[in-house]
Amino acid sequence: FDTTPTSLLHRLPRATNYLIMSGWNSGLFDCCAEGFGTCCYAWCCPHCALASARSAYDGSNCCFNFCCGSGAMLYNIIREGYGISGTCCGDICYACFCQCCIAIQATHEVAVRGRK
């Protein structure tokens, strides 16, 4: 059994790039997490709020996001981009049943974490 430093080094597992999953900085129902104005904006036009959040997240065109992106897709891009745990199926369910809530949550997340 060889215990020289070089032989021990070769037996160590190689480092790999693991994506460390994290959680959201606000809950799904924290409606005023980003302030009352964002809450009103998301309640009146949740798709506009999600398109704006995605634009703030990665600098993409807001009009393109609004016209071509579904709520679930926009939410999913932000969630996966920040390495937040969750599933695509969950994103779809949240978007179907409470789009204004995910719009507020995504807007708050981008405000806290900044541009990607």
Side-chain angles (χ1 to χ4, degrees), residues 9-18:
L9 184 63
H10 290 294
R11 284 188 271 160
L12 291 174
R14 294 202 183 262
T16 56
N17 292 331
Y18 290 104

Side-chain angles (χ1 to χ4, degrees), residues 58-96:
D58 63 4
S60 58
N61 186 292
C62 189
C63 291
F64 176 81
N65 291 333
F66 180 79
C67 294
C68 300
S70 70
M73 182 195 77
L74 297 170
Y75 185 71
N76 180 269
I77 288 170
I78 294 170
R79 182 185 60 75
E80 286 187 352
Y82 285 133
I84 298 171
S85 60
T87 64
C88 185
C89 185
D91 296 342
I92 292 168
C93 289
Y94 293 145
C96 287

Side-chain angles (χ1 to χ4, degrees), residues 90-107:
D91 296 342
I92 292 168
C93 289
Y94 293 145
C96 287
F97 297 111
C98 197
Q99 191 166 12
C100 57
C101 295
I102 65 169
I104 294 166
Q105 188 179 41
T107 300

Side-chain angles (χ1 to χ4, degrees), residues 26-37:
S26 64
L28 186 61
F29 301 110
D30 289 341
C31 294
C32 291
E34 193 55 30
F36 187 70

